[in-house]
Amino acid sequence: LRKNGWATAISAHSSGMYYDGFGTYDINVTATPEGLENYEAIINIIFGYINMLIENGPQEWYYKELAEINQAEFDFKEKEDAETYARTLSSRGHNQYVPPHQILSHNYLSSGYDADLISKCLSYLNPGNYRLFIGAQEHKAVECKLEEKYYNILYHIADMPSHMTSNVKCSPSVAKMLHLPSRNAYLPESLSVTKPATPVDKPALEPVLLRKNDRFKVWFKQDDQFFTPHGHIGLTISSEYVNNSPLNHLLSTLLCKIVSSELQEQLFGALRANSNFYVTLREGSINVDVSGLSSGLPLLLKTILQKIKTFKVDTQQFSIYRDEIERMVQSQRLDNPISLIYRQLDAVNMVPAFDLDMLEEILKDITLDGLQKHIELLFSKAYVKMLVSGNYNQSVALKTSNQVLDILQLQPVSRSSINARRILAIEPGYYTQIVPISDQKCLNSA
């Protein structure tokens, strides 16, 4: 779907037994405008993949991988908010029909591999047993005449056409591209816990500085309180080119979106292993964060940084996400009031900051060549701050920082060229800024 430019994201999950003795399996596709026009072909590909799963049969090795990951998450589960956790457990017993002895372990521990049961569940995912929901501002194939009573949203309901409920399959050329996932390289190598070399009376309240120079600063905070095999590694990449103009601000935002989308596919195994990663533009810097079971995070970080440093922009992906950036900028005027307030606060505290008028005016100057040159400039001179925390020791933290330096090949940079936040002492009182409403006729305008 991504290669055809038809979708930017896809997810699938079971609803659980929330209904009266049955559940649903939900597949959600975030379609591009071209994907919306080819929605029937998308459905064909989805059922083509399901048919491939049926033909290959249940895979016990895949079951074992998931069971291993879920067992680790259950064994080292962190505490939740008491009220939220109580509601969750109550819902499992009352709404989801979970037996009492499985309420705590539900969604974590597996009851045992059952190939016949897996095949039976797969058999229900067929073209005669699904409902299709399409949500868009407009759809040329239908005319919406029904109106929802609360928000006056127009909608349309129709019986499924016969060609979409029987003999639904993708083309042979597409079928050849569909395959099972590979074995997971991001499974935890070890679940052992690294404890401080000497007993600790009180947990440390702040990290320690391990390295500092004109390119790099490394902070480290070992888990000396909870002793679980979890970790977090965060990088802040600052460069004079990240956010020094409205155009570079949008180019950096666009880079983060495209890279994150590309990595979703490449790092599917890491996501399966319950690791998380984020590549975002925040406070004038590019931030890379990875978290999860600690043993796999250095490899995950290495993969992400190699992708960013050597990234070559694909024409189709550029077009899709450039349009998304344009819609994002234009829709920000319709944000809820609290979001608009926080954006104004950022404008006060961040140097430089750009209002929506500046960003809208510069949208036309975003080009493919411009983005590629921007990527090269970003890392020509940059300053990186890194925090390694959790189930690590100082040796691993320094080794991981060396890995970052080897990949990014940072050149010395003057700190005066890096954008910094202003610290303002705002006196107590009431402050008012009058901002005209962008669209007087739009009820959603804040």
Side-chain angles (χ1 to χ4, degrees):
L1 299 181
R2 281 173 42 81
K3 289 178 180 178
N4 286 332
W6 290 351
T8 57
I10 184 169
S11 63
H13 67 278
S14 169
S15 69
M17 298 291 282
Y18 285 105
Y19 309 105
D20 188 14
F22 73 96
T24 61
Y25 189 76
D26 303 327
I27 301 173
N28 301 298
V29 178
T30 303
T32 64
E34 187 178 352
L36 181 61
E37 292 181 3
N38 292 277
Y39 73 93
E40 291 189 13
I42 290 178
I43 294 170
N44 290 341
I45 292 174
I46 290 173
F47 279 113
Y49 194 87
I50 293 173
N51 289 334
M52 182 274 297
L53 293 177
I54 293 174
E55 291 173 1
N56 281 277
Q59 305 291 310
E60 188 171 7
W61 64 269
Y62 191 80
Y63 168 86
K64 289 180 178 179
E65 283 190 354
L66 293 179
E68 178 183 340
I69 295 166
N70 291 337
Q71 181 73 57
E73 287 297 320
F74 181 74
D75 290 343
F76 300 100
K77 187 180 184 302
E78 298 180 1
K79 289 185 177 181
E80 296 182 29
D81 171 70
E83 180 183 353
T84 302
Y85 193 44
R87 289 202 306 266
T88 299
L89 296 182
S90 174
S91 174
R92 288 176 185 173
H94 180 70
N95 298 333
Q96 300 180 43
Y97 308 101
V98 177
H101 67 281
Q102 293 180 349
I103 285 179
L104 291 178
S105 62
H106 183 64
N107 290 337
Y108 288 97
L109 302 187
S110 304
S111 57
Y113 178 70
D114 189 332
D116 292 337
L117 183 59
I118 295 172
S119 295
K120 183 179 180 180
C121 290
L122 271 175
S123 70
Y124 290 112
L125 306 183
N126 64 73
N129 192 36
Y130 78 104
R131 298 291 180 268
L132 174 64
F133 297 86
I134 298 177
Q137 289 185 333
E138 59 181 4
H139 195 322
K140 65 181 182 181
V142 298
E143 180 182 358
C144 296
K145 296 182 179 180
L146 302 175
E147 184 175 298
E148 184 270 336
K149 67 178 181 179
Y150 296 104
Y151 297 97
N152 307 119
I153 302 298
L154 297 177
Y155 66 98
H156 174 76
I157 299 176
D159 293 333
M160 198 80 74
S162 59
H163 68 276
M164 295 179 63
T165 59
S166 61
N167 198 31
V168 177
K169 59 183 180 180
C170 57
S171 66
S173 60
V174 172
K176 291 180 180 179
M177 301 170 60
L178 306 178
H179 59 83
L180 293 170
S182 57
R183 294 184 183 271
N184 198 342
Y186 295 93
L187 289 176
E189 297 177 358
S190 171
L191 294 175
S192 61
V193 174
T194 302
K195 295 186 177 182
T198 57
V200 177
D201 294 331
K202 292 183 179 179
L205 298 180
E206 58 188 27
V208 296
L209 183 62
L210 298 184
R211 172 182 286 172
K212 180 181 179 182
N213 56 37
D214 55 2
R215 297 175 296 166
F216 209 55
K217 184 185 288 185
V218 182
W219 295 88
F220 171 68
K221 173 64 174 72
Q222 185 174 19
D223 175 13
D224 54 5
Q225 182 176 5
F226 302 105
F227 304 115
T228 68
H230 294 98
H232 170 265
I233 305 175
L235 265 69
T236 299
I237 304 173
S238 301
S239 166
E240 61 181 300
Y241 302 105
V242 173
N243 197 58
N244 65 337
S245 69
L247 178 59
N248 282 351
H249 173 86
L250 291 177
L251 289 174
S252 297
T253 303
L254 181 58
L255 171 64
C256 292
K257 282 190 170 293
I258 297 178
V259 167
S260 296
S261 176
E262 293 275 338
L263 287 170
Q264 289 286 330
E265 180 178 349
Q266 184 177 349
L267 297 177
F268 178 67
L271 298 174
R272 268 174 34 216
N274 288 339
S275 296
N276 296 301
F277 69 87
Y278 302 95
V279 181
T280 57
L281 178 65
R282 188 169 67 243
E283 297 184 356
S285 300
I286 291 179
N287 292 264
V288 179
D289 291 274
V290 295
S291 59
L293 294 172
S294 56
S295 63
L297 297 187
L299 173 60
L300 177 58
L301 179 64
K302 177 181 178 181
T303 305
I304 293 172
L305 293 181
Q306 286 176 335
K307 184 73 171 182
I308 297 174
K309 185 67 164 54
T310 62
F311 189 64
K312 300 299 181 185
V313 184
D314 175 78
T315 303
Q316 187 177 64
Q317 293 300 307
F318 169 80
S319 177
I320 291 172
Y321 285 98
R322 189 218 168 278
D323 292 345
E324 184 175 314
I325 289 290
E326 183 171 352
R327 292 193 298 271
M328 179 194 74
V329 171
Q330 293 171 347
S331 66
Q332 282 179 347
R333 296 186 187 278
L334 302 179
D335 264 350
N336 56 69
I338 191 66
S339 297
L340 294 175
I341 290 172
Y342 279 126
R343 189 171 294 113
Q344 289 297 107
L345 287 176
D346 282 342
V348 171
N349 287 294
M350 175 63 69
V351 180
F354 314 108
D355 60 34
L356 293 177
D357 290 332
M358 293 181 183
L359 298 180
E360 281 188 335
E361 183 179 349
I362 210 70
L363 281 168
K364 63 182 183 301
D365 296 329
I366 298 177
T367 64
L368 179 63
D369 290 339
L371 178 58
Q372 195 64 65
K373 291 176 181 177
H374 181 69
I375 297 171
E376 297 167 4
L377 286 173
L378 279 179
F379 299 101
S380 61
K381 288 186 177 181
Y383 190 82
V384 173
K385 290 184 287 186
M386 179 176 179
L387 171 64
V388 180
S389 61
N391 185 40
Y392 299 106
N393 54 35
Q394 291 192 13
S395 174
V396 173
L398 288 172
K399 181 180 179 181
T400 305
S401 69
N402 289 334
Q403 172 182 280
V404 172
L405 285 173
D406 290 342
I407 295 171
L408 296 183
Q409 295 293 307
L410 300 171
Q411 299 299 317
V413 61
S414 168
R415 291 305 307 273
S416 62
S417 65
I418 303 301
N419 299 326
R421 289 190 71 84
R422 293 184 296 200
I423 300 176
L424 302 180
I426 301 177
E427 297 296 329
Y430 295 95
Y431 300 88
T432 303
Q433 180 181 17
I434 305 299
V435 180
I437 294 176
S438 59
D439 186 351
Q440 295 281 352
K441 297 180 180 180
C442 180
L443 296 178
N444 292 322
S445 178

